[in-house]
Amino acid sequence: MLKSIAIVAGTHGNETSGIQLLHNWQNGGLPARFAALKPSFMLANTAAIKSNVRFLDDDLNRQFVPERLQAASGDHEASLARDINNRLGPKDNPQTDFVIDIHNTTSAMGATLIILRKDAFSVQLARYVKHAMPEANILLEDEKPYAQHPYLCTVGKQGIMVEVGGQPQGVLREDVYQLTQTLTETILDFCLAFNTGPLPELPECDVYRLGQNINFPLDDEGNRIAMVHHSLQDNDFQPLMPGAPVFKCFDGTELTWQDSEPTYPHFINEAAYASSHVAFATASMITL
Ligand SMILES: [Zn+2]
């Protein structure tokens, strides 16, 4: 039974679709069918929202690990994380059953549900969402245990992220807004079904499982020597085949996918990861 549900947006202050959706739900109310869920709303980083930036001092969505929550850092996001951990968590003994944290990405990832483990709840949620919204992508990030993720949503007993794109930072696109609303409402429909229970048997679904980050190639001085190839750009979750172009070098040559297996690239050319030279992330496809 999900007794306490928190819907969070503005964890990154320039990801406007979730922020606007929460504003609209706070002002106009949630659709009536969700009344029984009584979710709480939280705009996580109001200072960053006001400034239309991802964060002021540090990424809020990387703060929720014990060593950071216990440190006495005076950074804006570090103290904000301690406050959110007290309000929704604490992480080691959560008072919130389910945290839905809404993000958007500059990558063309469509409507993506990010789950962080393969427990029964997450598998049922993934199947429900894929069944109700076939155009949604399910991304599984289980490369580390749930509690070791630094994400805000992990202060809940269950936590997931809504990730929709492509949308430039600080900009609101209607198509991205609509996908964000549809995916979030589908997750809330799952919550209703979960609480009413038992859930119907749902068909298995394909899920992208996070592999690794692929960095831009750099020269000896740390300068980029290539950009994402146009045939990869905006093709998030489309299979990247062995030998297919990945990077276009500034000298005119191309670098190709050297692995013997296809991969499912995503977060391609994500603006927030540009400063760390991440070009995209890889994934394999599994069935849950
Ligand atoms: Zn974000």
Side-chain angles (χ1 to χ4, degrees), residues 104-114 135-139 141 163-167 179 208 234-237 265-268 270 273 281:
N104 62 254
T105 168
T106 64
S107 305
M109 286 167 59
T112 298
L113 165 66
I114 302 179
E135 71 272 36
N137 302 301
I138 316 291
L139 176 60
E141 296 189 1
E163 186 75 79
V164 186
Q167 177 167 268
L179 283 173
Y208 302 103
D234 300 333
N235 280 319
D236 297 72
F237 294 124
H266 58 284
F267 285 119
I268 297 170
E270 159 60 46
Y273 304 153

Side-chain angles (χ1 to χ4, degrees), residues 10-15 54 59 61-62 101-105 161-163 267 270 272-273:
T11 298
H12 295 134
N14 56 7
E15 295 178 0
R54 183 173 173 89
D59 192 329
N61 212 28
R62 302 293 182 271
D101 189 18
I102 306 174
H103 293 253
N104 62 254
T105 168
M161 284 173 278
V162 167
E163 186 75 79
F267 285 119
E270 159 60 46
Y273 304 153

